[in-house]
Amino acid sequence: MNTEIIWFVITLVSVPAAGILGYSLQRRKVNLLQLENEKLRRDNLALKATGESKAEAKASVDEMGAATGRAQESIGEDVEDFLLKIDWRDKLFQLCAFLFLCYFIYDIYRLGSWLYSFI
């Protein structure tokens, strides 16, 4: 029975944490896409204003697509730099503190169930 409670607590904590992480990643991607759409819209208006031909406009769109690919590679490099800069000892300490807190909550539950058994 004890392992069931431990897994319940782990599931209780990990599901919302995964949801928050997934939401933050999706929000970042949406923000990047909004910025890209705004840039494309402005470029489109600039092309219409200058009266460029369709062939030149297509070349400009292809260049923007290549620039977007370079931006995505840049984001990947930023993530790698971020991971290299993380102080893993601090994260390990935070993880241990979190597990200690979970076990403390579990102990409070056991104390409550033990006291309830006297009623």
Side-chain angles (χ1 to χ4, degrees), residues 43 47 52-67:
D43 288 343
L47 287 173
E52 291 182 5
S53 69
K54 290 182 180 181
E56 292 172 352
K58 185 179 182 317
S60 177
V61 169
D62 291 341
E63 290 171 5
M64 282 186 268

Side-chain angles (χ1 to χ4, degrees), residues 31-76:
N31 287 341
L32 290 173
L33 289 174
Q34 286 175 344
L35 289 173
E36 183 180 341
N37 284 340
E38 181 65 23
K39 180 183 175 193
L40 290 173
R41 187 180 64 79
R42 288 183 183 182
D43 288 343
N44 191 17
L45 290 175
L47 287 173
K48 286 180 182 178
T50 59
E52 291 182 5
S53 69
K54 290 182 180 181
E56 292 172 352
K58 185 179 182 317
S60 177
V61 169
D62 291 341
E63 290 171 5
M64 282 186 268
T68 303
R70 287 191 299 270
Q72 289 175 347
E73 291 172 4
S74 174
I75 291 171

Side-chain angles (χ1 to χ4, degrees), residues 20-37:
I20 290 170
L21 179 65
Y23 174 78
S24 64
L25 291 174
Q26 286 179 352
R27 188 66 196 150
R28 178 179 170 89
K29 193 169 200 171
V30 166
N31 287 341
L32 290 173
L33 289 174
Q34 286 175 344
L35 289 173
E36 183 180 341
N37 284 340

Side-chain angles (χ1 to χ4, degrees), residues 49-101:
T50 59
E52 291 182 5
S53 69
K54 290 182 180 181
E56 292 172 352
K58 185 179 182 317
S60 177
V61 169
D62 291 341
E63 290 171 5
M64 282 186 268
T68 303
R70 287 191 299 270
Q72 289 175 347
E73 291 172 4
S74 174
I75 291 171
E77 292 170 1
D78 291 343
V79 169
E80 290 174 5
D81 291 342
F82 174 74
L83 290 175
L84 290 175
K85 291 179 184 176
I86 291 177
D87 184 11
W88 292 106
R89 289 175 290 176
D90 185 41
K91 296 299 176 191
L92 182 62
F93 175 75
Q94 290 175 356
L95 177 65
C96 291
F98 175 73
L99 293 176
F100 180 76
L101 177 67

